[in-house]
Amino acid sequence: METINAFFSLVSDFLWGWPMIVLLLGTHVFLTVRLRFPQRKLFTGIRLSVKKDPGAAGDVSQFGALATALAATIGTGNIVGVATAVALGGPGAVLWCWLTGIFGMSTKYAEGLLAVKYRVKADNGRMYGGPMYALERGLNMKWLAILFAVFTALASFGIGCTVQANSIALMAHETFGIEQWVVGIIVCLLTAAVILGGVKAIARVCTVLVPFMAVLYVVGCVVILCINHDYVWPAVQLIVDAAFNPSAAGGGFVGATVIMAARYGIARGLFSNESGMGSAPIVAAAAQTRNPVRQALVSSTGTFWDTVVICALTGLVLVSSILAYPDISYADGGALTKVAFSKIPYVGAPLLTFGILTFAFSTILGWSYYGESAVNYIEGNRINRFYRILYIVALFFGSIINLDIIWNIADCMNALMAIPNLIALLLLSGVAARETKKYLWANHLDEEMPEELT
């Protein structure tokens, strides 16, 4: 097992090395330019996300699709992952993470657009879409579409299932002393109560859970920033200065370089918001929307909330805490996060615990739909219920076993998902540009797409 784990660790390091970072970030920048900076329409996307589109084809509301995507995207990486980036790359990593989110909005926009453009309506009346359908219907690359679906199904049992269940079980055991197997059973029961109802049940829960947990976490961050108010502006200055001159951070960050700050900041931003990975467009395809661009705008706001807001707030909290309490250790990202939140009297530690638990559980719900959709593409809906049961069983085992090898395999699957998705995005960028010109720049956002495409 040690040999296998070492192998997957090596492969993961290679797949998530500089070539992948350059490919993902390059795609973000390319699509930003090709689509004429769709980030400018952020507030239009936010407005559309909370509006219903009555009569439009789809399984869930646009907000339901967005909430489900955010449920899978907002996870422990938004908390501990940012702290790890700061610990390894210095305060400047926060700026690189933030910039990645800004440009990543274009990629998430294009993913949502193509998902609706190439979605299909199954015999059971449900809408299915995502990179596998874009690859098959837009590029006639069914073999690559199947590979993407296989990687997605495997990834769902890793990063979306066992890894998250393990995080919940460990946190509950360390904080409340509850045995991990007991936590595993509770997580299985709660998940079963939701996912056995399909995408509509998942979306209903996520539309309540995601705003609640995100707002509560943001309020906690704002409270910490108020406590550290004398250090907030110096923290902003340090983040900007350290992004291009890491020695400006001083102390233990003197050994950091611009390359390290950029690498860890960009990697954390890419991994956190999942722009370019191809997961979020799977649920975007189920949205009730009258044309592809409306859902594309809504999808792009997911990266804004995840990285531009939540990750940036986390980074600002961490760096201001480092300045306010210079005696705390920042070598351990998890420990740094705990120290920062402990500064909120009485409720700081429980708030952090609640944030990690709910973020992890929401990820479980979102990824269950991604995996089921991938399996459905390969085998049809004949084994959907079997997949859900298997997913629930995997949650229990994830709660009680050591997951080092699962982490490494999951990282590999996530990277392998991104490659065919990026191929679809780049080769179909002309289609995305034409649709954007037709509906967005020509001010036809209220126009219905042709019936044959619904």
Side-chain angles (χ1 to χ4, degrees):
M1 290 299 293
E2 289 182 3
T3 302
I4 295 175
N5 188 36
F7 169 77
F8 279 106
S9 177
L10 186 65
V11 173
S12 175
D13 289 341
F14 170 76
L15 289 174
W16 283 106
W18 275 110
M20 177 61 76
I21 291 175
V22 170
L23 179 60
L24 278 165
L25 189 60
T27 301
H28 292 351
V29 175
F30 170 75
L31 290 174
T32 295
V33 176
R34 183 76 192 269
L35 301 176
R36 294 171 54 186
F37 293 83
Q39 294 92 331
R40 290 183 292 162
K41 298 295 183 177
L42 170 63
F43 293 107
T44 300
I46 294 174
R47 176 176 56 82
L48 289 175
S49 70
V50 295
K51 287 181 62 178
K52 291 185 177 181
D53 216 346
D59 299 325
V60 298
S61 68
Q62 289 181 305
F63 183 72
L66 174 64
T68 304
L70 280 173
T73 303
I74 298 177
T76 54
N78 295 82
I79 303 176
V80 179
V82 176
T84 301
V86 171
L88 296 175
V94 177
L95 179 63
W96 290 107
C97 179
W98 187 78
L99 289 173
T100 301
I102 291 291
F103 286 102
M105 290 173 63
S106 293
T107 299
K108 191 66 70 75
Y109 170 93
E111 287 179 319
L113 189 155
L114 295 177
V116 176
K117 171 75 175 177
Y118 293 109
R119 69 183 181 180
V120 299
K121 189 173 185 178
D123 294 336
N124 60 6
R126 285 180 54 183
M127 289 290 189
Y128 291 102
M132 51 277 204
Y133 293 92
L135 285 164
E136 178 185 353
R137 303 183 69 207
L139 296 171
N140 197 28
M141 293 183 175
K142 187 174 178 65
W143 64 273
L144 194 56
I146 292 175
L147 279 180
F148 174 85
V150 169
F151 295 144
T152 302
L154 292 174
S156 72
F157 285 104
I159 194 65
C161 177
T162 52
V163 166
Q164 303 301 327
N166 193 258
S167 297
I168 292 174
L170 287 175
M171 176 63 71
H173 180 67
E174 293 173 1
T175 306
F176 307 111
I178 306 174
E179 292 295 330
Q180 289 181 226
W181 67 269
V182 175
V183 178
I185 291 176
I186 295 173
V187 171
C188 288
L189 292 175
L190 290 174
T191 303
V194 179
I195 71 172
L196 291 179
V199 65
K200 292 184 179 180
I202 294 172
R204 281 197 300 269
V205 172
C206 290
T207 53
V208 176
L209 178 62
V210 170
F212 176 71
M213 71 182 193
V215 168
L216 193 62
Y217 179 74
V218 168
V219 168
C221 289
V222 171
V223 170
I224 296 175
L225 293 176
C226 290
I227 295 173
N228 298 345
H229 64 275
D230 289 336
Y231 300 92
V232 172
W233 181 244
V236 172
Q237 293 177 310
L238 179 59
I239 288 170
V240 175
D241 292 343
F244 306 100
N245 179 26
S247 61
F253 295 116
V254 172
T257 64
V258 173
I259 295 297
M260 289 173 63
R263 176 185 175 184
Y264 290 110
I266 293 172
R268 178 45 51 200
L270 294 172
F271 199 76
S272 172
N273 61 52
E274 297 182 10
S275 294
M277 192 179 295
S279 51
I282 294 175
V283 70
Q288 295 169 336
T289 184
R290 64 186 71 178
N291 62 61
V293 171
R294 288 173 73 91
Q295 181 55 37
L297 290 170
V298 172
S299 293
S300 69
T301 66
T303 298
F304 170 77
W305 295 122
D306 175 87
T307 306
V308 181
V309 175
I310 294 181
C311 283
L313 272 176
T314 302
L316 193 56
V317 162
L318 297 174
V319 177
S320 65
S321 296
I322 290 172
L323 294 177
Y325 314 103
D327 56 325
I328 67 174
S329 171
Y330 42 77
D332 183 339
L336 172 59
T337 306
K338 290 180 180 179
V339 170
F341 275 82
S342 68
K343 300 305 176 181
I344 304 179
Y346 306 112
V347 299
L351 178 63
L352 177 62
T353 299
F354 177 80
I356 291 177
L357 292 178
T358 53
F359 282 15
F361 181 66
S362 69
T363 300
I364 289 172
L365 298 181
W367 269 93
S368 71
Y369 180 71
Y370 295 162
E372 181 181 325
S373 297
V375 170
N376 186 82
Y377 179 79
I378 300 170
E379 285 291 334
N381 59 19
R382 299 185 303 275
I383 61 172
N384 282 4
R385 189 166 293 275
F386 173 75
Y387 169 83
R388 295 172 191 172
I389 294 172
L390 188 62
Y391 191 85
I392 293 167
V393 172
L395 285 172
F396 177 76
F397 286 102
S399 302
I400 61 176
I401 62 176
N402 185 291
L403 290 184
D404 286 346
I405 188 171
I406 302 298
W407 263 111
N408 288 322
I409 293 175
D411 285 346
C412 292
M413 292 303 106
N414 286 341
L416 291 173
M417 283 175 61
I419 294 172
N421 179 56
L422 292 173
I423 290 174
L425 286 171
L426 293 173
L427 294 183
L428 293 173
S429 62
V431 174
R434 285 196 298 273
E435 294 292 310
T436 300
K437 181 180 179 180
K438 175 181 178 181
Y439 291 107
L440 186 59
W441 306 126
N443 294 318
H444 293 156
L445 268 180
D446 293 331
E447 183 178 316
E448 296 275 354
M449 75 177 86
E451 187 174 346
E452 64 269 18
L453 296 181
T454 63

